[in-house]
Amino acid sequence: MAISSKGLISVVTTRVLLAVFLLQSVCDFKLPTVQADLEVGYYENTGLCIGAEVVVAAVVLAAFVADPTVTASLIRLQFHDCFVQGCDASIMENGTFTERTSPPDLTVRGYNVIDAAKAALEEFCPGRVSCADIITIAARDSIAILGGPTFPVLTGRLDGFPRGPDSPDPSDFLPGPNFTIPQATEAFAKQNLSQADMVNLLGAHTVGVAQCRFFVDRLYNFLGTGLPDPDLDQTYGDYLRKICPDTTNSSDPSLLTNVALDFKSEFKWDLSYFRNGKQRRGLLRIDDELATDPATSPHFTQIGSSNLLFNKEFLDSLTKMSQIGVITDPALGNIREVCEIAIAPETISMPFQLEEEVLEAHSAF
């Protein structure tokens, strides 16, 4: 996708501002220093990899210049990682029985960016920065690039061991695009996240896209009625029907067409998603129901009225999500050399001095 000269200037400006933020800790929002055995600035404070977050930021920014859609994908990748087995980079593992081969994760993107950041860090400080932390840092940087707030993140995670045939099925944990409010609330509750957290986190739909196949039923045959979803704004529905034709052929390539989650604002972190929701222009069923269901509409309206409030609420919930099932005990996790290859505990091999440094750093919390 081509970027205009004005867009390039904006990217460069963002890069400078983000670098200043990372190096000087000038943030829009601050977090408590330590939570759940994680720490803000873990790699700096322990000396394991000074400048690690700057390296990740540079890789994410380069990826954004090449493909502006990748930032929203990186935010989604963190969500999908944390909701299944916790924030342990299990989504990065490739091969049989892995999360990325399950239906909910087939449209997840951004693996290559995490891999590139990991490769850069292995040159910079080998064996010290986990893939799980890279995912968290990359999502944070993506939000900033898209015009969202700058904020510190908790780091110090280890990566999970390999999955097996008895590992959890992502379909049992990840909320689907056609979930109702009760169904979505239950999915978030499994992660000890409240309904308010759910509304806050789904506000990330202010950026990114979804394929036609995830909402085409709303345009032509909602709930088997043979009619469009009556809650969908008619003008918006007409617009979507020009993009996503009616088809009963599940292999029709038109079903893979991407449509902005936030109408006309998919590259900007703003309140447009909430305004569109109130105008019955939520793309997915869950987006529409967040704005209209009595259980969620008041909070949806409240955070959609203020950038400051939305960002604060979103970051509070994102911080909670980023601590789901984290691994800090070296007996339960490790640091991968390559993110897509999870390492079984009996195959770990690292220089003795480095092993001692990593174990000492993690035992300190």
Side-chain angles (χ1 to χ4, degrees), residues 4 128 171 185:
S4 66
R128 302 191 179 200
S171 300
T185 300

Side-chain angles (χ1 to χ4, degrees), residues 38-51:
L38 302 178
E39 181 182 11
V40 171
Y42 170 78
Y43 295 102
E44 301 284 327
N45 299 339
T46 60
L48 282 175
C49 190
I50 295 173

Side-chain angles (χ1 to χ4, degrees), residues 60 64 68-83 87 91 105 107-111 113-114 134-149 151 153 174 200-209 261 265-270 310-311 314-315 317-318 321-322:
V60 173
F64 172 76
T69 68
V70 78
T71 40
S73 297
L74 289 168
I75 298 168
R76 182 171 180 242
L77 189 150
Q78 183 191 19
F79 178 88
H80 278 240
D81 181 45
C82 291
F83 260 59
C87 309
I91 195 170
D105 291 330
T107 57
V108 171
R109 299 171 57 240
Y111 300 114
V113 181
I114 304 302
I134 295 172
I135 290 171
T136 299
I137 297 166
R140 181 272 308 279
D141 295 342
S142 295
I143 291 169
I145 288 171
L146 291 166
F151 57 99
V153 291
L174 292 164
N200 297 337
L201 290 169
L202 289 175
H205 285 184
T206 187
V207 294
V209 297
L261 281 164
S265 184
E266 69 268 35
F267 295 112
K268 187 176 181 182
W269 189 273
D270 57 16
F310 167 49
N311 288 334
F314 178 84
L315 296 181
S317 296
L318 184 68
M321 186 190 79
S322 74

Side-chain angles (χ1 to χ4, degrees), residues 281-294:
R281 293 186 174 187
L283 184 67
L284 306 178
R285 182 181 181 184
I286 186 62
D287 297 325
D288 178 72
E289 293 204 0
L290 285 175
T292 60
D293 190 286

